[in-house]
Amino acid sequence: MFTGASQFALVSVADNPVAGAASAIMLGTRNAMYGLRLTSILRVRGARKAVAAQLVIDESTAMAIGQSNDDDDDGRVGFWATGIAVFVFWNLATLIGALGADAIGNPEDFGLDAAAPAAFIALLAPRLRGREPWVVAIAAGVVALMVTPFVPDGVPILLAAVVAVVAGLRSPR
Amino acid sequence: MWAAILGASLGCYLLKVAGLSVPGRILADPRVERIGGLLPVALLSAFIAMQTFTVDDQLELSARVVGAGVAVFAVWRRAPFLVVILAAMGATALVRALA
């Protein structure tokens, strides 16, 4: 699973593996949307497509789309360079974290539990353009908070997803 | 747990392949596209709300609220990703140390 938000999501709902996996996959749906934009830039098939697919993430998509004008190779170079660089260092850092976890004592003492929400805030902010995402974000957050004390782990996240689906189906634009 | 990890990993990968493979028509359906755009917004927001304002499934104001506030400020000031996270962690740790 090479898509950061999904990794964080799965870990956050680890008490309920099914809901954790479901929210990880739902957060991964945007990579499919990225693929749509990327097909014309990358023009890959066969084995190269299988590799390219794993590198489809926020960063590589942004670089590919940002660098591509018409026919030149910059978009492709941007995609592969960014994708490979992030892949290598992300997984290297994950390995260090996994091996070093025992060495650091109580993670709450230095605020590690605040890292995930902070990361999510940084990931959410660029998506809040216009009124609709704000409404959906606030509604989803409120719904999740209101039901949390009463339902099993993971269910609040699934209800938040329902908010997005309803909003997406209703607002014709 | 490992089944969830493997299942979610497979699902995430297949979504990526699908995006590069499916002819534009299905995923380019305006409704699918809209939902695809709004899903991350709703999920991220729900995660932020829960991780910030709940402790052990109960609503509670903890040191994490301060950390999240600092993160919002840092993002608003266009701080780099890593700075946002370290600032939030630092603020949360500081509040705990002082409390």
Side-chain angles (χ1 to χ4, degrees):
Chain A
M1 188 190 304
F2 179 55
T3 173
S6 299
Q7 292 183 349
F8 295 136
L10 184 51
V11 174
S12 307
V13 205
D15 292 341
N16 182 344
V18 174
S23 41
I25 289 171
M26 281 187 290
L27 274 171
T29 51
R30 70 188 189 289
N31 291 323
M33 305 296 158
Y34 293 163
L36 285 180
R37 302 279 304 276
L38 289 171
T39 19
S40 59
I41 298 173
L42 294 178
R43 293 199 285 270
V44 283
R45 42 181 66 236
R48 290 181 67 116
K49 184 159 90 176
V51 177
Q54 179 67 337
L55 298 178
V56 173
I57 49 170
D58 297 352
E59 293 87 340
S60 56
T61 305
M63 286 301 283
I65 293 172
Q67 296 294 321
S68 73
N69 346 277
D70 301 331
D71 268 345
D72 62 19
D73 280 338
D74 290 358
R76 235 164 301 161
V77 174
F79 173 84
W80 287 103
T82 311
I84 291 170
V86 176
F87 186 84
V88 169
F89 286 107
W90 181 276
N91 289 313
L92 210 57
T94 304
L95 182 66
I96 293 171
L99 296 178
D102 291 336
I104 57 174
N106 181 6
E108 292 213 345
D109 283 347
F110 51 97
L112 192 65
D113 52 327
F120 286 137
I121 287 169
L123 290 170
L124 175 62
R127 297 171 187 280
L128 294 176
R129 286 204 204 107
R131 189 169 152 273
E132 190 178 38
W134 274 102
V135 173
V136 169
I138 292 169
V142 170
V143 166
L145 275 189
M146 282 192 336
V147 301
T148 295
F150 311 108
V151 297
D153 278 345
V155 174
I157 297 298
L158 300 182
L159 289 176
V162 173
V163 171
V165 173
V166 171
L169 288 176
R170 288 191 54 159
S171 62
R173 216 185 299 153
Chain B
M1 192 64 221
W2 279 104
I5 293 175
L6 292 176
S9 300
L10 187 67
C12 286
Y13 178 69
L14 288 179
L15 279 168
K16 292 175 170 184
V17 175
L20 288 175
S21 307
V22 173
R25 211 166 305 143
I26 302 171
L27 286 175
D29 180 286
R31 274 167 309 176
V32 174
E33 209 175 346
R34 244 189 343 257
I35 293 171
L38 291 175
L39 263 182
V41 170
L43 294 178
L44 289 172
S45 176
F47 274 118
I48 294 165
M50 290 171 59
Q51 291 173 350
T52 303
F53 296 109
T54 71
V55 177
D56 295 332
D57 292 341
Q58 297 302 320
L59 301 188
E60 189 179 317
L61 292 178
S62 68
R64 258 178 267 158
V65 178
V66 177
V70 168
V72 170
F73 179 77
V75 167
W76 175 58
R77 300 300 305 180
R78 298 179 182 279
F81 190 70
L82 204 57
V83 173
V84 173
I85 292 172
L86 292 178
M89 285 174 59
T92 306
L94 188 66
V95 171
R96 284 205 181 111
L98 295 175

